Amino acid sequence: MQEQDISVSLQEHVQEAMASHIPLRVQGNGTKDFLGRPSQGERLDISEHQGIINYEPTELVITARTGTPLKDIEKILSDYQQMTPFEPPYFGANATLGGTIACNLSGPWRPYAGAARDFVLGTRLLNGKGDIMNFGGEVMKNVAGYDVSRLMAGAMGTLGVMLEVSIKVLPKPEQETTLIMHGPSGRAALDLMHSWARLPHPVSATAYHDEQLYVRLSGTPDSVRVARELIGGEEQDEDFTRQFWQSIKNHQHDFFSSTDPLWRLSVASDTRPMQLVGNWLYEWGGAQRWLSSTESAETIRKAAAEAGGHATLYRNGAQGDELFHPLAPGLMRIHQQLKKAFDPKGILNPGRMYKEL
Amino acid sequence: MNESQPDTREEQPTSVDREGLIAALRPLLPEDALLIDEEDLRPYECDGLSAYRRMPLLVALPDHIDQVRAILRQCYELNVPVVARGAGTGLSGGALPLEQGVLLSLAKFKDILEIDPHRRIARVQPGVRNLAISQAADQYGLYYAPDPSSQIACTIGGNVAENSGGVHCLKYGLTVHNIQKLRIVTIEGELLDIGGEGLDAAGYDLLALMTGSEGMLGVIVEVTVKLLPKPDRAQVLLAAFDDVVKAGAAVGNIISAGIIPAGLEMMDKLAIQAAEDFVHAGYPLDAEAILLCELDGTNEEVSEHIYQVREILRQSGATEVRTARDEAERMTFWKGRKAAFPAVGRLSPDYYCMDGTIPRKRLPEVLRAMADMSKEYDLPVANVFHAGDGNLHPLILYDANKEGELERTEEFGGRILELCVQVGGTITGEHGVGMEKINQMCVQFNPLELTQFHAIKEAFDPRGLLNPGKAVPTLHRCAEFGAMHVHHGELPFPELERF
């Protein structure tokens, strides 16, 4: 990693763009370019803005520049037996911290440990006016001012360019194992996932696909042993545990190789198996469901909304498709006003999330 | 604290036609749901920060969302400010009413609408008490994790508005980590759903933005919280130290060993003595500091961790380590900590509870600086500390009847908060800014950041009618505050125009 602070040149670039109304495409290493609507504009390159600024294992916090490769962050955490509990997907070897947080990407542990946004403690932010500001900090408890740093998680760079992010980290579990149950129906699998979640078991990931139910346990050796006996199923070795959950998280599992449109449905976890034609993979105790399907966007979105959630066209969409779930008019109005509050000239990633933003 | 007037002159709206407003609101509410007589208004003149008092123009007590919408729509049309209030237990004056504004009480919204044990959620009205949720979920082996010390009385709506914490935050997070959906009413009377039934929602994370927004962005009328399975077992250790620095280091050592305790509390000598005198928890009176470390989870996990933590505490120089033998002793250990505030209250006629957060490694220097200031102001200070997450609660002891002592206390408190910012922490860990810490916001944030906050408010509330004057200071106020508090010859905002 090349440690380098380029915030001043990034700031100048944004200030110039604002003065001449030039839209900017905020980008690290481009591993999430597939996600969201294509955005036009001059490239604002964050990838050189690298370096871990502070890492205090005993305070459970790491602060880094947003162009820092995620793998560098995870490496140093691992050296101290710590981890990012939201298990961020990479979607490419050179994923950066900034892109990960800007997309609020979380992996298998999410329903049990929290999402990327839950671990954001603070950020140094460059808004669309070229102002550099600090929000939040490096402490766990901080309620001074509005929670701007969490607002940035998932805003996909449309409200501001994060220059630094502080995240909470946690100790790695001492032991992990994966159990497989063969043959349950979708409905039975959902029931099992819910029954485990109601007990204080160290369940850290669940997935269901092709009549196989996978569950990962993470904790102290004794607590993993006891839960394993209670849950049953066929135990897998360490290599399987590592590779399988990586393949789900990074979309390398066979399920993701289809060229049909890939939808992500985020719904009430106990929603019964949905009547949409396609191939399914459930995660997050039933709350995140991947669907590879040629059904119409309208049909899929209607079903997701009826299940209390939303649907995102994640991959393999056609040119010009709306990718994110449409917002209710009242909410869209607030989104537009917020966009204006951070980026009055609309130069930061315009149209990347919604054409109105 | 005794009464003093908060300095809010620049935020006071111009006068409102009270009779006209009453006539406009009357038809929107049942007869007894609009309070206008002085004796009825009196209970609403302050919240948990009783030092600041102000009578509201009138109080509305709706019991239906449609009524809330109608009231807000009417206030918006008439340009009348509105302050929302739950149980009024907040400690920063966030629910302090406005003389020229409506106090909107959500106290009648006290129904638990749904508990879904399968999905582990509870959907409740904003006036439901924090503890009542856990009590209702108990039959399913579930509970709601955030447990502010006022949990018997405080409401979930207020918890969301303040992003309340408690003693279990390090492991279980704050309110923002434990809610899933909100229904809010905007100042224009529009009902919006924020979040959803899944784990995330489309668009910006407005759930995070609303949480801790202190009633400045919208009025919360329904909350869906997440419930957790109750741990099999909870066990607590008490360790005594002859030096607070050693106690602080022990906290770091526990975390370095890969253990996240459910609760990790520290008390200093004065707090220990006060608590012991009050509730006889059996605390060692000769200790300079004690640590309470609670571990929870499965039986096996707790057994493994208890053993490890005991060793770590000994190696960190604890003079004594006790493990609660049973549930009764566990409750006794906690009793002293939970009674620490009232216990300290018995040592002096008045006390002032502060709430700052610091990076834990800076604890020794912060405690030293506080001890120096305590001498300088001639006011004793006791410390209770959520050590796991760095949240300090210094309690300044004073006597409001002594001339000038309240003013000295407020200044001392302000300097403690400024110290927290200086070492990389924050002016409020869990009590909120409200009216109390509005000046210290000028220390924590620069004019660009404050301007950004105002722009966010404007996105929700363009006329500035929701809880105006709280939480985010005007730049004008900061300029005045800066002029009054010149430290080391440096103005906090040298670039700012002086009025």
Side-chain angles (χ1 to χ4, degrees), chain B residues 134-362:
Chain B
S134 289
Q135 284 166 342
D138 189 65
Q139 57 183 309
Y140 306 108
L142 301 169
Y143 76 112
Y144 175 64
D147 57 346
S149 56
S150 54
Q151 72 175 150
I152 286 179
C154 64
T155 64
I156 190 69
N159 287 179
V160 175
E162 301 294 322
N163 193 14
S164 303
V167 297
H168 294 107
C169 294
L170 182 67
K171 187 165 179 181
Y172 297 109
L174 299 142
T175 304
V176 70
H177 302 106
N178 289 281
I179 59 171
Q180 185 166 307
K181 187 178 172 187
L182 295 174
R183 303 197 92 184
I184 67 158
V185 179
T186 67
I187 184 64
E188 289 162 66
E190 191 170 7
L191 184 64
L192 296 177
D193 283 341
I194 286 176
E197 305 302 329
L199 293 177
D200 45 45
Y204 297 146
D205 196 339
L206 301 184
L207 200 62
L209 196 56
M210 284 303 302
T211 310
S213 64
E214 303 197 19
M216 308 268 291
L217 305 181
V219 174
I220 297 158
V221 291
E222 193 181 299
V223 185
T224 301
V225 303
K226 296 178 188 171
L227 303 173
L228 293 178
K230 285 167 68 179
D232 281 341
R233 180 176 160 205
Q235 179 64 282
V236 69
L237 291 150
L238 184 156
F241 292 86
D242 57 10
D243 182 353
V244 284
V245 177
K246 284 185 198 163
V251 173
N253 295 340
I254 293 169
I255 289 166
S256 294
I259 297 167
I260 303 296
L264 199 48
E265 297 288 308
M266 195 192 291
M267 291 164 73
D268 74 358
K269 190 162 194 151
L270 188 51
I272 297 167
Q273 285 170 344
E276 188 55 31
D277 284 351
F278 188 32
V279 299
H280 312 293
Y283 289 169
L285 287 170
D286 53 346
E288 285 298 316
I290 61 168
L291 268 185
L292 288 174
C293 177
E294 179 155 292
L295 299 158
D296 71 6
T298 64
N299 250 317
E300 301 73 34
E301 203 177 348
V302 173
S303 299
E304 288 171 82
H305 284 164
I306 279 281
Y307 176 76
Q308 290 177 45
V309 170
R310 206 159 39 205
E311 280 311 301
I312 294 166
L313 289 167
R314 288 208 182 101
Q315 281 162 20
S316 306
T319 51
E320 186 188 354
V321 183
R322 293 185 214 161
T323 309
R325 280 160 307 192
D326 49 28
E327 189 60 15
E329 194 171 35
R330 184 175 85 90
M331 298 317 283
T332 308
F333 283 4
W334 274 114
K335 200 170 156 195
R337 166 61 187 89
K338 291 196 168 162
F341 289 9
V344 168
R346 293 166 77 236
L347 300 181
S348 118
D350 301 279
Y351 72 92
Y352 188 28
C353 173
M354 307 304 298
D355 162 49
T357 305
I358 57 167
R360 204 178 337 92
K361 64 177 171 178
R362 309 294 292 267

Side-chain angles (χ1 to χ4, degrees), chain A residues 3-319:
Chain A
E3 294 223 1
Q4 196 176 187
D5 181 353
I6 59 163
S7 37
V8 173
S9 79
L10 291 171
Q11 182 179 31
E12 284 167 2
H13 198 153
V14 170
Q15 283 167 342
E16 282 161 25
M18 187 188 77
S20 26
H21 294 232
I22 296 169
L24 295 173
R25 190 163 49 88
V26 187
Q27 198 185 50
N29 289 318
T31 56
K32 277 86 180 171
D33 280 358
F34 73 91
L35 188 57
R37 306 171 80 244
S39 82
Q40 314 299 325
E42 229 174 75
R43 180 166 184 232
L44 184 74
D45 183 359
I46 316 296
S47 65
E48 306 286 298
H49 188 58
Q50 293 192 15
I52 291 165
I53 294 167
N54 182 31
Y55 172 38
E56 288 285 348
T58 65
E59 307 259 346
L60 300 173
V61 61
I62 189 165
T63 299
R65 297 193 185 98
T66 42
T68 310
L70 193 56
K71 59 173 184 276
D72 293 357
I73 308 252
E74 295 207 317
K75 168 75 176 59
I76 190 171
L77 293 177
S78 178
D79 290 345
Y80 288 85
Q81 299 305 314
Q82 294 188 336
M83 64 179 296
T84 46
F86 54 98
E87 284 193 291
Y90 278 62
F91 298 143
N94 295 322
T96 62
L97 174 66
T100 300
I101 300 297
C103 298
N104 190 28
L105 291 177
S106 312
W109 211 327
R110 191 269 172 258
Y112 313 100
R117 59 86 91 167
D118 290 307
F119 290 87
V120 171
L121 297 177
T123 189
R124 185 168 171 81
L125 185 76
L126 175 59
N127 68 8
K129 295 192 281 183
D131 300 333
I132 292 181
M133 301 167 290
N134 291 299
F135 297 101
E138 295 190 315
V139 291
M140 306 291 152
K141 276 167 133 180
N142 184 352
V143 294
Y146 303 122
D147 198 344
V148 174
S149 27
R150 279 200 181 88
L151 178 65
M152 292 304 132
M156 301 192 79
T158 61
L159 294 178
V161 181
M162 286 180 285
L163 297 173
E164 292 166 18
V165 180
S166 299
I167 54 173
K168 179 182 174 182
V169 298
L170 284 176
K172 273 189 169 178
E174 286 174 59
Q175 204 171 84
E176 287 199 315
T177 193
T178 299
L179 308 169
I180 302 182
M181 264 130 275
H182 303 283
S185 67
R187 191 165 169 165
L190 288 168
D191 282 345
L192 278 170
M193 294 186 210
H194 282 85
S195 68
W196 298 329
R198 278 185 61 180
L199 297 168
H201 288 322
V203 171
S204 66
T206 44
Y208 174 76
H209 174 59
D210 214 4
E211 296 191 351
Q212 311 261 37
L213 173 59
Y214 305 80
V215 53
R216 186 180 64 189
L217 303 170
S218 309
T220 61
D222 277 353
S223 68
V224 167
R225 180 182 51 76
V226 169
R228 189 177 62 214
E229 284 160 12
L230 280 168
I231 286 174
E234 184 191 322
E235 187 169 18
Q236 309 298 305
D237 63 18
E238 271 176 45
D239 283 347
F240 179 90
T241 290
R242 196 172 47 249
Q243 284 160 16
F244 176 76
W245 298 105
Q246 285 274 354
S247 76
I248 296 286
K249 172 175 100 165
N250 288 324
H251 291 186
Q252 291 151 341
H253 186 278
D254 278 349
F255 168 83
F256 296 98
S257 60
S258 164
T259 52
D260 286 343
L262 175 70
W263 289 85
R264 174 185 183 266
L265 284 80
S266 170
V267 292
S269 60
D270 65 344
T271 305
R272 293 288 174 218
M274 297 162 81
Q275 301 306 308
L276 294 166
V277 180
N279 197 9
W280 289 92
L281 188 151
Y282 299 170
E283 273 194 276
W284 294 7
Q288 173 167 272
R289 302 185 187 189
W290 300 98
L291 169 64
S292 178
S293 168
T294 52
E295 291 250 36
S296 76
E298 200 189 346
T299 306
I300 291 171
R301 292 220 158 96
K302 186 162 170 280
E306 278 166 4
H310 62 107
T312 308
L313 178 48
Y314 223 75
R315 293 180 192 268
N316 311 330
Q319 193 98 35

Side-chain angles (χ1 to χ4, degrees), chain B residues 27-48:
Chain B
L28 309 178
L29 287 162
E31 181 82 30
D32 58 352
L34 192 68
L35 310 182
I36 55 172
D37 296 334
E38 191 187 329
E39 58 183 325
D40 295 330
L41 300 180
R42 185 63 68 186
Y44 298 91
E45 67 175 347
C46 70
D47 61 11

Side-chain angles (χ1 to χ4, degrees), chain B residues 63-82:
Chain B
D63 60 8
H64 196 280
I65 291 176
D66 287 340
Q67 294 168 3
V68 175
R69 298 181 65 181
I71 292 167
L72 290 172
R73 212 176 292 131
Q74 193 59 254
C75 288
Y76 179 73
E77 271 169 32
L78 298 173
N79 220 31
V80 176
V82 179

